[in-house]
Amino acid sequence: MNKPVDLPVTAIDPDDIGYNESSNAHFSSILNARLSRRSLLRGGAASAAGALFGSLGLSACGGGGGGGGDDAATGEKLLNFNAVAWSKDDIVVVPGGYTATVLYALGDPLKGTTTDFKNDGTDADFEDRAGDHHDGMEWFGLSAADAPSTSSTNRGLLAMNHEATSNSGTKTSYFLHADGGTNSTSRPKAEVDKEMKVHGVSIVEVNRTGSTWTTKKDSTFNRRITPLTPVELDGVASGNDLLKTIYAPGGTTARGTINNCGTGKTPWATLLTGEENWNGYFVRGADTNRVDTSTIALSRYGIGKNKTSRHAWESGDTTDEYKRWILDQTAGAADTDFRNEMNTFGYIVEIDPYDKNRAIKKRTSMGRFNHESAAFSKPVAGQPLAVYMGDDVANEYIYKWVSTAVWDPLDANPVDRIATGDKYLNDGTLYAARFDLDAGGNGIGEWQALSLANPDVAAGFNGYTFANPGDVAINVRLAADAALATPMDRPEWCAVNPANGEIYFTLTNNSSRRAVPAAPPSTQKAPNAANPRTYTEGSSNGNVNGHIVRIKEDTGPASSTFTWDVYLFGAEQGADLASINLSALTKDQDFSSPDGIAFSHSTNICWIQTDDGAYTDVTNCMMLAALPGQVGDGGPTSIANTDVTGTISVDTVVGAKATSGTLKRFLVGPKDCEITGLCETPDGKALFVNIQHPGESTPFSAFGLPGNPAAYLSHWPGNAGYGAGGALARPRSATIVITKDDGGRVGS
Ligand code: FEO
Ligand code: CA
Ligand code: CA
Ligand code: CA
């Protein structure tokens, strides 16, 4: 078998470490009950692929360069490009007939008066420059009169997250500092100030002239939002005792947003940005004054005692911009210290990209966890809106927000966009997903309400009881534990298929999935129907390659029940077809660790992006184009897993196998990057994609004066002629724009 050797996952994400110690034994008992009939199910996996294209308005296409089908509206072939091969080169590769151009990279100016980025570690003033680690991104069209436009295809705003800044297990963000910075727990103020300001969000105007896209350096819309920007805490937890700090004794305001990962775009044209690994920025010492059950909540969110912080920002100075990262409780009340500061992070944050003067609001009702994207159900007049969200930590949950207000189509173009957010995102019910199988082995599930009206939640969990609804939202993981939600393999992005409303969730990987998990406080979990792989190959553990699950609501956005299947399993081509490569991926389409996912609203193509450390011995991270079918187009099956702890067979439901016409690699990125974030012009002819952290595993030893630029693991995009530095440039995260040379839609 032509099976590439697995390497251990070397770049450990903070979210690889789970904190879910709940037993949730109910899943393994259900699975054991099903083992006896698994042989019956093996024969049931015949594909219903004949139904696939009809549901998407596409017709099957057998030839023509392996195209996936014709678009019913335009006659244009989709996926009619030659698949991009694996690449380990330090470049962006796209298919022939396409062009990828760098548009907006770390440090690029956002004001006419800001100097060009020197990229030598001496640049400052990042409040007026692109931040680092470009991530989720949304397009907001602009008319010639500077008004919001849903039809503009040559002028718009890109609103994007700057999630983090590179380090390799140490404290410094070395590429930002001339000599690599201080690799210690005591950090100079100037370094900390710079590192804070590369985090957050940027909004930048972009324009197309002819076939060329550029940012507008002096646009009045350009702005940066950082961990220091004032924000409001709105929704059910606003004013809660758990949000009171010395900075905001009323618990209704806070400072900044951080580790912004995925995004969403509301039907009323605002940005939603998800705060992900915010807990990593905080330090907690012995914390001896803290003796209440907040210790349980802190541990559930990954902050035990004697926990160090990612960049030691708390050491930068003694003023409260630095002390805020210290969670230890003083002898005084909550409004005398920052014991609650971490409770002001972990939300979906709403920003009006068109109006700098409107409040930035953290939507606390939508729950506090390691947020990724936020995907809206298709708005239907008179029905509530559903927003789907994932919590990207090992064995955490999938969530759904359902608004109390029903959709009014006039709200698609409101006078006050943030007030419209107040209407749909403050009042409603948050749910967590429980996945199961019915007696026939088909995927079924229930949404568990995370409110005090649910007796399971009202009873509390693991010694923690909720004081009020705001407490439930702030500590919603404990509520979801109590409600027996299903622990998932790290839910990253989600996206709604515009063709049929089905919801796709990437589950990137999970090193804590085991056939026979150790007992709590181990955070290992047994497999379940929706997270069925635990295999071990070489030195890798758990579900190494990840998968994509999809959900079909039974009765619309407010449905309490759903059906589901696994759309695709990530795998290396050549891996065992019965236990690992269950989607039968070939070399033109194999991938590992799906992360970003988004549908084109022009072509309905599903774009899948990877953030991988398991298959990167063979290829850099990538983006694939897919024409998915629908829930149930495959069928029940059973997976025999063998890992270091034992053997277990798990029943699951796998979608129709991928074909050369329904899944094809479209892009491979430069060395040591992640591909993430995607948006498009309304005509589908310009696709914007982010290349995050090329070269991020560069060892600190590459720095120190005079330094060794040749040892940087990537030099992109300088090596492609973008900005300063040339062939030995410091690597930069950047937005690229992809266009088709014949002027057609991207992905055709
Ligand atoms: Fe920021 Fe889980 O990706
Ligand atoms: Ca991600
Ligand atoms: Ca990831
Ligand atoms: Ca990353």
Side-chain angles (χ1 to χ4, degrees):
M1 193 170 292
N2 181 25
K3 167 78 179 63
V5 176
D6 267 314
L7 291 180
V9 178
T10 49
I12 299 291
D13 279 354
D15 30 30
D16 285 339
I17 306 156
Y19 312 112
N20 184 348
E21 298 177 11
S22 65
S23 300
N24 286 24
H26 112 134
F27 297 104
S28 44
S29 55
I30 286 172
L31 293 165
N32 287 336
R34 298 196 185 287
L35 296 182
S36 57
R37 58 174 179 74
R38 79 181 166 81
S39 55
L40 295 176
L41 297 175
R42 274 196 184 281
S47 164
L52 190 159
F53 291 108
S55 72
L56 289 178
L58 304 172
S59 58
C61 168
D70 298 342
D71 184 288
T74 65
E76 195 172 28
K77 279 187 169 52
L78 298 176
L79 273 56
N80 191 35
F81 55 85
N82 291 321
V84 168
W86 303 325
S87 168
K88 295 276 286 175
D89 294 336
D90 197 23
I91 55 173
V92 173
V93 187
V94 291
Y98 284 88
T99 299
T101 309
V102 181
L103 179 63
Y104 179 62
L106 164 71
D108 279 350
L110 289 169
K111 277 187 180 167
T113 53
T114 307
T115 55
D116 286 344
F117 191 60
K118 294 192 286 296
N119 198 23
D120 60 2
T122 64
D123 302 281
D125 55 1
F126 278 93
E127 62 274 19
D128 296 325
R129 298 183 181 279
D132 206 352
H133 282 217
H134 300 36
D135 207 324
M137 173 171 55
E138 304 291 343
W139 163 270
F140 295 91
L142 264 181
S143 72
D146 281 356
S149 166
T150 56
S151 60
S152 171
T153 58
N154 57 17
R155 184 180 184 220
L157 304 174
L158 293 179
M160 79 182 70
N161 289 337
H162 298 289
E163 183 182 33
T165 181
S166 295
N167 66 343
S168 64
T170 54
K171 297 299 175 192
T172 185
S173 304
Y174 38 74
F175 288 125
L176 293 179
H177 308 300
D179 60 358
T182 45
N183 188 23
S184 69
T185 53
S186 180
R187 306 290 317 285
K189 180 174 182 298
E191 290 182 9
V192 172
D193 289 348
K194 191 188 285 192
E195 291 169 19
M196 283 192 206
K197 287 178 185 169
V198 300
H199 286 70
V201 173
S202 69
I203 293 163
V204 59
E205 182 180 336
V206 294
N207 290 274
R208 179 171 63 87
T209 307
S211 60
T212 304
W213 284 91
T214 51
T215 60
K216 187 178 180 190
K217 194 173 165 182
D218 57 355
S219 169
T220 56
F221 291 99
N222 290 355
R223 67 197 277 209
R224 281 297 317 284
I225 294 144
T226 76
L228 299 165
T229 306
V231 300
E232 292 184 13
L233 301 169
D234 208 349
V236 68
S238 182
N240 195 284
D241 284 347
L242 298 176
L243 299 179
K244 292 176 177 171
T245 66
I246 191 171
Y247 172 78
T252 59
T253 62
R255 196 162 26 188
T257 184
I258 203 164
N259 213 270
N260 304 78
C261 182
T263 48
K265 184 176 178 178
T266 66
W268 51 96
T270 59
L271 175 74
L272 298 184
T273 169
E275 298 181 310
E276 189 189 9
N277 290 304
W278 35 272
N279 48 353
Y281 297 83
F282 290 91
V283 62
R284 186 176 171 216
D287 203 8
T288 51
N289 290 320
R290 194 190 292 263
V291 292
D292 60 15
T293 55
S294 67
T295 56
I296 298 170
L298 279 172
S299 294
R300 189 64 184 82
Y301 283 86
I303 305 291
K305 289 188 176 182
N306 301 310
K307 177 103 167 39
T308 59
S309 63
R310 180 174 179 156
H311 297 295
W313 287 349
E314 72 281 355
S315 68
D317 206 341
T318 56
T319 54
D320 72 356
E321 290 93 335
Y322 310 88
K323 281 166 59 181
R324 67 188 289 214
W325 307 107
I326 303 171
L327 292 172
D328 289 50
Q329 181 171 325
T330 63
D335 60 3
T336 66
D337 60 26
F338 288 104
R339 77 188 64 170
N340 288 331
E341 181 76 355
M342 196 173 78
N343 292 342
T344 71
F345 292 95
Y347 298 104
I348 290 292
V349 187
E350 185 175 13
I351 298 171
D352 185 343
Y354 295 107
D355 191 344
K356 292 177 176 176
N357 299 314
R358 295 296 285 135
I360 295 168
K361 291 201 173 186
K362 296 199 174 186
R363 299 296 181 188
T364 65
S365 304
M366 299 170 79
R368 175 172 159 269
F369 46 89
N370 287 34
H371 279 281
E372 294 274 332
S373 69
F376 279 79
S377 60
K378 192 173 178 177
V380 177
Q383 287 193 30
L385 295 176
V387 187
Y388 300 89
M389 302 171 287
D391 183 357
D392 180 15
V393 179
N395 299 311
E396 293 299 342
Y397 307 123
I398 282 174
Y399 294 85
K400 172 171 80 161
W401 167 259
V402 179
S403 65
T404 300
V406 297
W407 178 243
D408 177 350
L410 292 176
D411 286 332
N413 191 16
V415 174
D416 186 333
R417 285 173 289 274
I418 293 297
T420 308
D422 295 344
K423 176 179 174 182
Y424 293 104
L425 303 181
N426 283 349
D427 299 318
T429 305
L430 188 63
Y431 298 84
R434 186 192 291 176
F435 291 79
D436 240 319
L437 296 175
D438 69 11
N442 300 298
I444 58 171
E446 282 184 359
W447 293 106
Q448 308 298 318
L450 304 176
S451 77
L452 292 172
N454 179 342
D456 292 339
V457 174
F461 187 79
N462 201 22
Y464 193 89
T465 51
F466 300 101
N468 47 53
D471 188 358
V472 174
I474 292 167
N475 293 303
V476 76
R477 276 185 191 158
L478 287 161
D481 291 343
L484 288 181
T486 301
M488 308 298 287
D489 287 346
R490 292 185 51 198
E492 296 250 20
W493 287 59
C494 54
V496 172
N497 184 345
N500 60 16
E502 293 180 0
I503 307 104
Y504 285 64
F505 270 93
T506 54
L507 301 163
T508 195
N509 54 56
N510 185 354
S511 59
S512 298
R513 195 66 71 185
R514 291 291 186 285
V516 185
S522 160
T523 55
Q524 291 176 2
K525 289 280 183 290
N528 56 58
N531 302 271
R533 287 193 308 188
T534 78
Y535 64 86
T536 296
E537 297 174 281
S539 53
S540 299
N541 292 313
N543 176 11
V544 176
N545 301 129
H547 57 290
I548 301 172
V549 74
R550 63 185 165 188
I551 289 170
K552 180 182 185 181
E553 297 280 21
D554 286 342
T555 57
S559 182
S560 60
T561 57
F562 58 85
T563 56
W564 63 270
D565 67 8
V566 176
Y567 163 48
L568 287 175
F569 283 95
E572 303 177 12
Q573 64 86 31
D576 182 56
L577 290 166
S579 60
I580 300 173
N581 189 9
L582 293 136
S583 302
L585 305 181
T586 67
K587 66 178 172 42
D588 287 343
Q589 35 171 229
D590 63 344
F591 68 92
S592 177
S593 301
D595 188 331
I597 189 165
F599 282 84
S600 165
H601 284 256
S602 174
T603 59
N604 287 346
I605 287 174
C606 177
W607 296 101
I608 301 165
Q609 303 170 319
T610 69
D611 173 19
D612 187 41
Y615 199 29
T616 43
D617 52 328
V618 171
T619 181
N620 299 337
C621 287
M622 65 183 70
M623 183 167 84
L624 305 103
L627 295 171
Q630 59 195 8
V631 169
D633 62 13
T637 190
S638 185
I639 300 173
N641 290 292
T642 297
D643 69 24
V644 289
T645 63
T647 297
I648 187 169
S649 290
V650 185
D651 293 349
T652 187
V653 188
V654 185
K657 287 183 169 45
T659 70
S660 61
T662 61
L663 179 66
K664 207 178 265 191
R665 190 180 302 109
F666 180 83
L667 176 153
V668 179
K671 289 182 178 178
D672 214 17
C673 79
E674 161 184 350
I675 310 298
T676 185
L678 182 139
C679 60
E680 62 182 353
T681 51
D683 59 6
K685 293 182 176 179
L687 198 69
F688 304 93
V689 172
N690 282 326
I691 308 296
Q692 190 186 72
H693 63 60
E696 81 160 341
S697 305
T698 297
F700 186 75
S701 57
F703 288 96
L705 294 172
N708 182 16
Y712 302 165
L713 294 182
S714 170
H715 300 95
W716 188 89
N719 63 355
Y722 187 85
L728 291 179
R730 294 176 182 220
R732 301 160 73 184
S733 296
T735 305
I736 60 173
V737 56
I738 302 168
T739 51
K740 197 174 183 198
D741 298 345
D742 68 3
R745 293 182 300 168
V746 179
S748 60

